Amino acid sequence: MPALVTIGIPTRNRREYVMRAITSVLAQSYPQIEVVVADNASTDDTVACVRAIDDVRLRLIEHSENIGMVANFNATLNASSGRFFVMLSDDDYLAPDAIETLIGAFEPPTDGMRGDEVGVSWTPSTIVDSVGVTQWTSRVGPPRESGFDFIEGSFRDGRGPRFCGVMVRSDDARIVGGYQARHGPPCDVGNWAQIALRYPFVVCTRRSLAFYTIHSSSETNVTTSSTWKRSGEAITQDLLDQLRRDGRERELARMKISGKALIGDLLIAGLSQSAGQRGWLWNTAVEVIRARKYLFTIRVACRFWQNFWKLKKLIVGRIRSNSSAR
């Protein structure tokens, strides 16, 4: 019998988005799924709409008060009964064959790997705006690589792992501490990176199967550079500690460099999410000065130049959105 896969969907006050996410999951071609929606004390009609869905695969957790973003993520993980787990942000959604394709990496044997040697299966994400218009697709990784190379490539080379496109074993996600508050908004990175270090291989699909939404109410839009900095430093420190415990001294120096790259990318991502909003240029200048240690590097300058067209698209889209809302 196929293994059960849990898709966790934490949500708060995003009825329209979360209904789209749930619909995409219930339409999966893979037969053995459960959907755990954790509502974080929404004040809109999110709960009523989710309750109205008549499907035995769907479970709803209701919090009477706001327990915070990361705690709500963990609520879905802790309620998971599936062998495998995917965290799907409420504003993201999946292609119909996403789960079926991702779980294939864990099926033994494939391309010289045993299923139990694979720690993470992931897919690139198609980046869409608030109305679902495609902006770009994140970078694909090698079909298979070591866990460490996966982390290094993601941190230093701009690969595209995002919440919605990563499958892991539920037990592994819990063993490494779940989603940790000290890892902040990118707590998913801390989770899958620690899992990846525990396994010989990580597998990537060649086709984008997840859709990641950029919009003005995203958590990243209200996150300061100091928060991103602390989050990146905490994630890096945990990975360094894990390498030391495992006696992997040769990889420590590389991880230190990769960690600095991660922090720089997190800062740029956070700043670009709010592109085009009122006061964005001034706020960006202030945040850049605060985080100059990580941003004023040759690597970041090159990445910024390479990806400037993405920033331009974000700004233009934001201006158009603001104009149409008037």
Side-chain angles (χ1 to χ4, degrees):
M1 186 172 181
L4 181 65
V5 178
T6 299
I7 298 92
I9 307 179
T11 189
R12 175 175 165 80
N13 290 337
R14 286 185 183 162
R15 184 259 305 163
E16 184 175 353
Y17 281 130
V18 76
M19 295 300 287
R20 181 182 66 177
I22 294 171
T23 298
S24 77
V25 174
L26 295 178
Q28 289 298 301
S29 58
Y30 187 77
Q32 289 293 104
I33 65 169
E34 70 169 1
V35 187
V36 178
V37 178
D39 181 78
N40 197 13
S42 290
T43 56
D44 63 4
D45 59 348
T46 294
V47 169
C49 290
V50 175
R51 282 178 182 168
I53 299 174
D54 184 17
D55 196 307
V56 296
R57 298 172 295 174
L58 175 65
R59 285 193 285 143
L60 174 63
I61 299 171
E62 300 178 46
H63 300 300
S64 58
E65 58 183 25
N66 187 340
I67 63 172
M69 180 189 73
V70 177
N72 201 35
F73 292 167
N74 283 314
T76 67
L77 175 61
N78 293 335
S80 166
S81 56
R83 181 182 175 193
F84 296 95
F85 185 78
V86 173
M87 177 69 79
L88 180 65
S89 296
D90 58 1
D91 48 3
D92 301 331
Y93 56 103
L94 301 174
D97 59 340
I99 299 301
E100 180 179 5
T101 304
L102 287 169
I103 201 170
F106 299 100
E107 301 292 336
T110 175
D111 296 330
M113 298 176 293
R114 300 194 314 268
D116 60 4
E117 292 181 312
V118 177
V120 177
S121 177
W122 71 280
T123 177
S125 295
T126 299
I127 313 303
V128 299
D129 64 15
S130 59
V131 295
V133 177
T134 297
Q135 303 299 301
W136 66 83
T137 300
S138 61
R139 286 187 57 190
V140 69
R144 73 169 181 175
E145 61 186 328
S146 72
F148 184 87
D149 287 345
F150 165 64
I151 295 169
E152 189 171 56
S154 299
F155 289 7
R156 298 179 65 177
D157 298 333
R159 305 256 180 87
R162 285 172 168 82
F163 253 137
C164 52
V166 176
M167 180 180 288
V168 297
R169 293 174 181 82
S170 301
D171 285 345
D172 286 336
R174 298 185 184 104
I175 287 171
V176 300
Y179 301 98
Q180 300 181 42
R182 63 193 297 267
H183 292 167
C187 58
D188 62 310
V189 177
N191 187 268
W192 56 247
Q194 291 181 89
I195 294 172
L197 280 186
R198 297 164 57 90
Y199 285 88
F201 298 112
V202 167
V203 172
C204 179
T205 70
R206 309 308 297 169
R207 178 169 57 91
S208 172
L209 300 169
F211 297 84
Y212 179 88
T213 305
I214 295 176
H215 57 93
S216 59
S217 59
S218 171
E219 179 69 21
T220 56
N221 288 340
V222 294
T223 305
T224 65
S225 64
S226 59
T227 299
W228 287 117
K229 175 176 175 291
R230 287 195 301 270
S231 297
E233 289 174 340
I235 292 169
T236 300
Q237 188 60 56
D238 286 349
L239 295 174
L240 289 170
D241 290 345
Q242 188 171 339
L243 289 170
R244 289 192 184 95
R245 288 195 300 269
D246 295 342
R248 298 163 67 172
E249 297 295 330
R250 295 179 62 182
E251 294 169 329
L252 282 171
R254 290 166 61 187
M255 183 59 71
K256 290 177 182 178
I257 296 172
S258 297
K260 290 181 179 179
L262 168 67
I263 297 168
D265 279 355
L266 289 174
L267 288 164
I268 292 174
L271 293 171
S272 64
Q273 287 280 8
S274 60
Q277 293 185 353
R278 180 176 297 178
W280 173 72
L281 288 175
W282 171 256
N283 292 333
T284 297
V286 172
E287 298 295 342
V288 165
I289 292 173
R290 289 176 178 173
R292 56 189 177 275
K293 172 183 176 182
Y294 298 102
L295 293 177
F296 292 171
T297 68
I298 294 176
R299 177 195 167 275
V300 169
C302 291
R303 285 289 305 280
F304 183 83
W305 178 255
Q306 293 169 355
N307 294 285
F308 179 75
W309 63 272
K310 295 180 181 179
L311 181 60
K312 182 179 178 181
K313 290 192 76 169
L314 285 171
I315 295 174
V316 171
R318 192 80 68 190
I319 292 173
R320 288 175 178 171
S321 177
N322 292 340
S323 298
S324 62
R326 291 191 183 99

PDB file of all heavy atoms in Angstrom, residues 46 70 75-76 81 91 106 108 112 116 126 132 134 137 141 154 191 197 199 207 210 235 259 273-274 288 318 326:
ATOM      1  N   THR A  46     -12.337  32.145   7.355  1.00  0.00           N
ATOM      2  CA  THR A  46     -11.506  31.020   6.953  1.00  0.00           C
ATOM      3  C   THR A  46     -12.014  29.700   7.531  1.00  0.00           C
ATOM      4  O   THR A  46     -12.180  28.709   6.817  1.00  0.00           O
ATOM      5  CB  THR A  46     -10.048  31.247   7.398  1.00  0.00           C
ATOM      6  OG1 THR A  46      -9.495  32.365   6.694  1.00  0.00           O
ATOM      7  CG2 THR A  46      -9.198  30.018   7.121  1.00  0.00           C
ATOM      8  N   VAL A  70       5.449  30.279  13.771  1.00  0.00           N
ATOM      9  CA  VAL A  70       6.236  29.046  13.843  1.00  0.00           C
ATOM     10  C   VAL A  70       5.507  27.981  14.647  1.00  0.00           C
ATOM     11  O   VAL A  70       5.500  26.796  14.275  1.00  0.00           O
ATOM     12  CB  VAL A  70       7.624  29.329  14.435  1.00  0.00           C
ATOM     13  CG1 VAL A  70       8.421  28.040  14.576  1.00  0.00           C
ATOM     14  CG2 VAL A  70       8.393  30.314  13.559  1.00  0.00           C
ATOM     15  N   ALA A  75       2.203  22.909  14.704  1.00  0.00           N
ATOM     16  CA  ALA A  75       0.914  22.274  14.972  1.00  0.00           C
ATOM     17  C   ALA A  75       0.545  21.302  13.868  1.00  0.00           C
ATOM     18  O   ALA A  75       0.016  20.216  14.117  1.00  0.00           O
ATOM     19  CB  ALA A  75      -0.171  23.337  15.136  1.00  0.00           C
ATOM     20  N   THR A  76       0.819  21.680  12.620  1.00  0.00           N
ATOM     21  CA  THR A  76       0.513  20.775  11.506  1.00  0.00           C
ATOM     22  C   THR A  76       1.451  19.575  11.509  1.00  0.00           C
ATOM     23  O   THR A  76       1.025  18.438  11.259  1.00  0.00           O
ATOM     24  CB  THR A  76       0.608  21.498  10.148  1.00  0.00           C
ATOM     25  OG1 THR A  76       1.957  21.873   9.875  1.00  0.00           O
ATOM     26  CG2 THR A  76      -0.282  22.730  10.133  1.00  0.00           C
ATOM     27  N   SER A  81       0.078  12.257  10.703  1.00  0.00           N
ATOM     28  CA  SER A  81       0.131  10.806  10.869  1.00  0.00           C
ATOM     29  C   SER A  81       0.735  10.127   9.653  1.00  0.00           C
ATOM     30  O   SER A  81       0.827   8.902   9.598  1.00  0.00           O
ATOM     31  CB  SER A  81      -1.275  10.243  11.134  1.00  0.00           C
ATOM     32  OG  SER A  81      -2.184  10.612  10.113  1.00  0.00           O
ATOM     33  N   ASP A  91      -0.699  30.406   1.084  1.00  0.00           N
ATOM     34  CA  ASP A  91      -0.798  31.191  -0.145  1.00  0.00           C
ATOM     35  C   ASP A  91      -0.114  30.524  -1.331  1.00  0.00           C
ATOM     36  O   ASP A  91      -0.016  31.107  -2.412  1.00  0.00           O
ATOM     37  CB  ASP A  91      -0.233  32.597   0.056  1.00  0.00           C
ATOM     38  CG  ASP A  91       1.129  32.610   0.731  1.00  0.00           C
ATOM     39  OD1 ASP A  91       1.676  31.521   1.004  1.00  0.00           O
ATOM     40  OD2 ASP A  91       1.657  33.707   0.988  1.00  0.00           O
ATOM     41  N   PHE A 106      11.817   8.478  -2.859  1.00  0.00           N
ATOM     42  CA  PHE A 106      12.012   7.602  -1.706  1.00  0.00           C
ATOM     43  C   PHE A 106      11.724   6.137  -2.020  1.00  0.00           C
ATOM     44  O   PHE A 106      11.813   5.283  -1.141  1.00  0.00           O
ATOM     45  CB  PHE A 106      11.114   8.064  -0.556  1.00  0.00           C
ATOM     46  CG  PHE A 106      11.392   9.461  -0.080  1.00  0.00           C
ATOM     47  CD1 PHE A 106      10.592  10.510  -0.501  1.00  0.00           C
ATOM     48  CD2 PHE A 106      12.451   9.725   0.773  1.00  0.00           C
ATOM     49  CE1 PHE A 106      10.833  11.812  -0.062  1.00  0.00           C
ATOM     50  CE2 PHE A 106      12.707  11.019   1.208  1.00  0.00           C
ATOM     51  CZ  PHE A 106      11.897  12.064   0.781  1.00  0.00           C
ATOM     52  N   PRO A 108      12.588   2.610  -3.440  1.00  0.00           N
ATOM     53  CA  PRO A 108      13.847   1.890  -3.750  1.00  0.00           C
ATOM     54  C   PRO A 108      13.657   0.904  -4.896  1.00  0.00           C
ATOM     55  O   PRO A 108      12.567   0.360  -5.072  1.00  0.00           O
ATOM     56  CB  PRO A 108      14.119   1.140  -2.457  1.00  0.00           C
ATOM     57  CG  PRO A 108      12.760   0.852  -1.889  1.00  0.00           C
ATOM     58  CD  PRO A 108      11.898   2.016  -2.305  1.00  0.00           C
ATOM     59  N   GLY A 112      20.822   3.946  -8.610  1.00  0.00           N
ATOM     60  CA  GLY A 112      21.910   3.567  -7.730  1.00  0.00           C
ATOM     61  C   GLY A 112      21.726   3.979  -6.289  1.00  0.00           C
ATOM     62  O   GLY A 112      22.657   3.832  -5.485  1.00  0.00           O
ATOM     63  N   ASP A 116      16.056   4.603   1.403  1.00  0.00           N
ATOM     64  CA  ASP A 116      16.400   5.057   2.746  1.00  0.00           C
ATOM     65  C   ASP A 116      17.671   5.899   2.783  1.00  0.00           C
ATOM     66  O   ASP A 116      18.081   6.369   3.844  1.00  0.00           O
ATOM     67  CB  ASP A 116      16.515   3.872   3.714  1.00  0.00           C
ATOM     68  CG  ASP A 116      17.582   2.865   3.289  1.00  0.00           C
ATOM     69  OD1 ASP A 116      18.298   3.106   2.296  1.00  0.00           O
ATOM     70  OD2 ASP A 116      17.697   1.819   3.961  1.00  0.00           O
ATOM     71  N   THR A 126       7.495  27.677  -9.216  1.00  0.00           N
ATOM     72  CA  THR A 126       7.094  28.745 -10.124  1.00  0.00           C
ATOM     73  C   THR A 126       6.619  29.914  -9.280  1.00  0.00           C
ATOM     74  O   THR A 126       5.699  29.759  -8.464  1.00  0.00           O
ATOM     75  CB  THR A 126       5.959  28.272 -11.052  1.00  0.00           C
ATOM     76  OG1 THR A 126       6.431  27.173 -11.839  1.00  0.00           O
ATOM     77  CG2 THR A 126       5.513  29.398 -11.970  1.00  0.00           C
ATOM     78  N   GLY A 132      -1.894  35.077  -9.563  1.00  0.00           N
ATOM     79  CA  GLY A 132      -1.490  33.837 -10.195  1.00  0.00           C
ATOM     80  C   GLY A 132      -0.719  33.960 -11.486  1.00  0.00           C
ATOM     81  O   GLY A 132      -0.506  32.960 -12.180  1.00  0.00           O
ATOM     82  N   THR A 134       2.505  34.126 -13.647  1.00  0.00           N
ATOM     83  CA  THR A 134       3.875  33.653 -13.475  1.00  0.00           C
ATOM     84  C   THR A 134       4.878  34.786 -13.645  1.00  0.00           C
ATOM     85  O   THR A 134       4.807  35.559 -14.599  1.00  0.00           O
ATOM     86  CB  THR A 134       4.187  32.543 -14.487  1.00  0.00           C
ATOM     87  OG1 THR A 134       3.324  31.424 -14.240  1.00  0.00           O
ATOM     88  CG2 THR A 134       5.636  32.082 -14.373  1.00  0.00           C
ATOM     89  N   THR A 137      10.656  31.142 -12.662  1.00  0.00           N
ATOM     90  CA  THR A 137      10.780  29.824 -12.037  1.00  0.00           C
ATOM     91  C   THR A 137      12.131  29.730 -11.357  1.00  0.00           C
ATOM     92  O   THR A 137      13.157  30.118 -11.937  1.00  0.00           O
ATOM     93  CB  THR A 137      10.629  28.694 -13.070  1.00  0.00           C
ATOM     94  OG1 THR A 137       9.338  28.783 -13.675  1.00  0.00           O
ATOM     95  CG2 THR A 137      10.763  27.326 -12.405  1.00  0.00           C
ATOM     96  N   GLY A 141      17.987  22.024  -9.264  1.00  0.00           N
ATOM     97  CA  GLY A 141      19.227  21.440  -8.788  1.00  0.00           C
ATOM     98  C   GLY A 141      19.556  20.177  -9.566  1.00  0.00           C
ATOM     99  O   GLY A 141      18.779  19.754 -10.434  1.00  0.00           O
ATOM    100  N   SER A 154      22.168  25.509  -2.409  1.00  0.00           N
ATOM    101  CA  SER A 154      20.999  26.331  -2.097  1.00  0.00           C
ATOM    102  C   SER A 154      21.400  27.659  -1.477  1.00  0.00           C
ATOM    103  O   SER A 154      20.827  28.711  -1.796  1.00  0.00           O
ATOM    104  CB  SER A 154      20.075  25.573  -1.142  1.00  0.00           C
ATOM    105  OG  SER A 154      19.616  24.374  -1.714  1.00  0.00           O
ATOM    106  N   ASN A 191      14.942  23.469   9.021  1.00  0.00           N
ATOM    107  CA  ASN A 191      14.436  22.101   9.136  1.00  0.00           C
ATOM    108  C   ASN A 191      14.994  21.207   8.036  1.00  0.00           C
ATOM    109  O   ASN A 191      15.612  20.177   8.312  1.00  0.00           O
ATOM    110  CB  ASN A 191      12.904  22.122   9.096  1.00  0.00           C
ATOM    111  CG  ASN A 191      12.302  20.756   9.386  1.00  0.00           C
ATOM    112  OD1 ASN A 191      12.047  19.980   8.481  1.00  0.00           O
ATOM    113  ND2 ASN A 191      12.066  20.477  10.653  1.00  0.00           N
ATOM    114  N   LEU A 197      21.650  16.988   6.018  1.00  0.00           N
ATOM    115  CA  LEU A 197      22.969  16.593   6.515  1.00  0.00           C
ATOM    116  C   LEU A 197      22.985  15.163   7.054  1.00  0.00           C
ATOM    117  O   LEU A 197      24.061  14.566   7.186  1.00  0.00           O
ATOM    118  CB  LEU A 197      23.431  17.554   7.614  1.00  0.00           C
ATOM    119  CG  LEU A 197      24.012  18.896   7.184  1.00  0.00           C
ATOM    120  CD1 LEU A 197      24.545  19.648   8.391  1.00  0.00           C
ATOM    121  CD2 LEU A 197      25.104  18.732   6.137  1.00  0.00           C
ATOM    122  N   TYR A 199      21.657  12.541   5.601  1.00  0.00           N
ATOM    123  CA  TYR A 199      21.488  11.531   4.558  1.00  0.00           C
ATOM    124  C   TYR A 199      22.523  11.684   3.446  1.00  0.00           C
ATOM    125  O   TYR A 199      23.011  12.786   3.185  1.00  0.00           O
ATOM    126  CB  TYR A 199      20.091  11.641   3.952  1.00  0.00           C
ATOM    127  CG  TYR A 199      18.995  11.098   4.843  1.00  0.00           C
ATOM    128  CD1 TYR A 199      18.389  11.915   5.788  1.00  0.00           C
ATOM    129  CD2 TYR A 199      18.592   9.765   4.748  1.00  0.00           C
ATOM    130  CE1 TYR A 199      17.392  11.417   6.612  1.00  0.00           C
ATOM    131  CE2 TYR A 199      17.595   9.266   5.565  1.00  0.00           C
ATOM    132  CZ  TYR A 199      17.003  10.090   6.497  1.00  0.00           C
ATOM    133  OH  TYR A 199      16.013   9.605   7.319  1.00  0.00           O
ATOM    134  N   ARG A 207      11.178  19.366 -13.244  1.00  0.00           N
ATOM    135  CA  ARG A 207      10.062  20.238 -13.614  1.00  0.00           C
ATOM    136  C   ARG A 207       9.483  20.879 -12.366  1.00  0.00           C
ATOM    137  O   ARG A 207       9.368  20.234 -11.318  1.00  0.00           O
ATOM    138  CB  ARG A 207       8.992  19.396 -14.333  1.00  0.00           C
ATOM    139  CG  ARG A 207       7.747  20.133 -14.733  1.00  0.00           C
ATOM    140  CD  ARG A 207       6.903  19.251 -15.668  1.00  0.00           C
ATOM    141  NE  ARG A 207       6.568  17.972 -15.059  1.00  0.00           N
ATOM    142  CZ  ARG A 207       5.455  17.759 -14.346  1.00  0.00           C
ATOM    143  NH1 ARG A 207       4.605  18.743 -14.138  1.00  0.00           N
ATOM    144  NH2 ARG A 207       5.208  16.564 -13.851  1.00  0.00           N
ATOM    145  N   ALA A 210       5.532  23.181  -7.878  1.00  0.00           N
ATOM    146  CA  ALA A 210       4.985  23.991  -6.796  1.00  0.00           C
ATOM    147  C   ALA A 210       4.879  25.439  -7.241  1.00  0.00           C
ATOM    148  O   ALA A 210       5.677  25.911  -8.062  1.00  0.00           O
ATOM    149  CB  ALA A 210       5.866  23.882  -5.551  1.00  0.00           C
ATOM    150  N   ILE A 235      20.470  29.468  11.969  1.00  0.00           N
ATOM    151  CA  ILE A 235      20.460  28.296  11.090  1.00  0.00           C
ATOM    152  C   ILE A 235      21.884  27.830  10.818  1.00  0.00           C
ATOM    153  O   ILE A 235      22.204  26.638  10.916  1.00  0.00           O
ATOM    154  CB  ILE A 235      19.734  28.615   9.772  1.00  0.00           C
ATOM    155  CG1 ILE A 235      18.242  28.825  10.025  1.00  0.00           C
ATOM    156  CG2 ILE A 235      19.949  27.490   8.750  1.00  0.00           C
ATOM    157  CD1 ILE A 235      17.491  29.395   8.844  1.00  0.00           C
ATOM    158  N   GLY A 259      26.993  29.927   4.998  1.00  0.00           N
ATOM    159  CA  GLY A 259      26.101  30.592   5.940  1.00  0.00           C
ATOM    160  C   GLY A 259      26.034  32.094   5.710  1.00  0.00           C
ATOM    161  O   GLY A 259      24.956  32.694   5.774  1.00  0.00           O
ATOM    162  N   GLN A 273      10.714  41.610  -1.326  1.00  0.00           N
ATOM    163  CA  GLN A 273       9.299  41.299  -1.181  1.00  0.00           C
ATOM    164  C   GLN A 273       8.455  42.553  -1.006  1.00  0.00           C
ATOM    165  O   GLN A 273       7.286  42.584  -1.393  1.00  0.00           O
ATOM    166  CB  GLN A 273       9.077  40.370   0.026  1.00  0.00           C
ATOM    167  CG  GLN A 273       9.539  38.945  -0.186  1.00  0.00           C
ATOM    168  CD  GLN A 273       8.547  38.119  -0.976  1.00  0.00           C
ATOM    169  OE1 GLN A 273       7.563  38.633  -1.497  1.00  0.00           O
ATOM    170  NE2 GLN A 273       8.795  36.831  -1.077  1.00  0.00           N
ATOM    171  N   SER A 274       9.034  43.580  -0.404  1.00  0.00           N
ATOM    172  CA  SER A 274       8.281  44.811  -0.170  1.00  0.00           C
ATOM    173  C   SER A 274       8.526  45.858  -1.249  1.00  0.00           C
ATOM    174  O   SER A 274       8.147  47.022  -1.099  1.00  0.00           O
ATOM    175  CB  SER A 274       8.654  45.401   1.205  1.00  0.00           C
ATOM    176  OG  SER A 274      10.032  45.689   1.273  1.00  0.00           O
ATOM    177  N   VAL A 288      19.846  48.032   4.517  1.00  0.00           N
ATOM    178  CA  VAL A 288      21.100  47.643   3.884  1.00  0.00           C
ATOM    179  C   VAL A 288      22.290  48.105   4.716  1.00  0.00           C
ATOM    180  O   VAL A 288      23.266  47.370   4.905  1.00  0.00           O
ATOM    181  CB  VAL A 288      21.186  48.222   2.456  1.00  0.00           C
ATOM    182  CG1 VAL A 288      22.610  48.146   1.921  1.00  0.00           C
ATOM    183  CG2 VAL A 288      20.246  47.462   1.524  1.00  0.00           C
ATOM    184  N   ARG A 318       4.033  45.711  -8.278  1.00  0.00           N
ATOM    185  CA  ARG A 318       3.499  46.340  -7.071  1.00  0.00           C
ATOM    186  C   ARG A 318       2.846  47.681  -7.396  1.00  0.00           C
ATOM    187  O   ARG A 318       1.772  47.997  -6.888  1.00  0.00           O
ATOM    188  CB  ARG A 318       4.632  46.550  -6.067  1.00  0.00           C
ATOM    189  CG  ARG A 318       4.171  46.918  -4.670  1.00  0.00           C
ATOM    190  CD  ARG A 318       3.738  45.687  -3.915  1.00  0.00           C
ATOM    191  NE  ARG A 318       4.882  44.837  -3.643  1.00  0.00           N
ATOM    192  CZ  ARG A 318       4.802  43.613  -3.168  1.00  0.00           C
ATOM    193  NH1 ARG A 318       3.622  43.094  -2.948  1.00  0.00           N
ATOM    194  NH2 ARG A 318       5.882  42.889  -2.938  1.00  0.00           N
ATOM    195  N   ARG A 326      -6.718  51.721  -6.165  1.00  0.00           N
ATOM    196  CA  ARG A 326      -7.203  53.039  -5.813  1.00  0.00           C
ATOM    197  C   ARG A 326      -8.605  53.288  -6.394  1.00  0.00           C
ATOM    198  O   ARG A 326      -8.948  52.812  -7.429  1.00  0.00           O
ATOM    199  CB  ARG A 326      -6.245  54.109  -6.345  1.00  0.00           C
ATOM    200  CG  ARG A 326      -4.893  54.098  -5.618  1.00  0.00           C
ATOM    201  CD  ARG A 326      -4.095  55.323  -5.974  1.00  0.00           C
ATOM    202  NE  ARG A 326      -2.795  55.314  -5.361  1.00  0.00           N
ATOM    203  CZ  ARG A 326      -1.683  54.943  -5.991  1.00  0.00           C
ATOM    204  NH1 ARG A 326      -1.722  54.602  -7.257  1.00  0.00           N
ATOM    205  NH2 ARG A 326      -0.509  54.946  -5.367  1.00  0.00           N
TER     206      ARG A 326
END
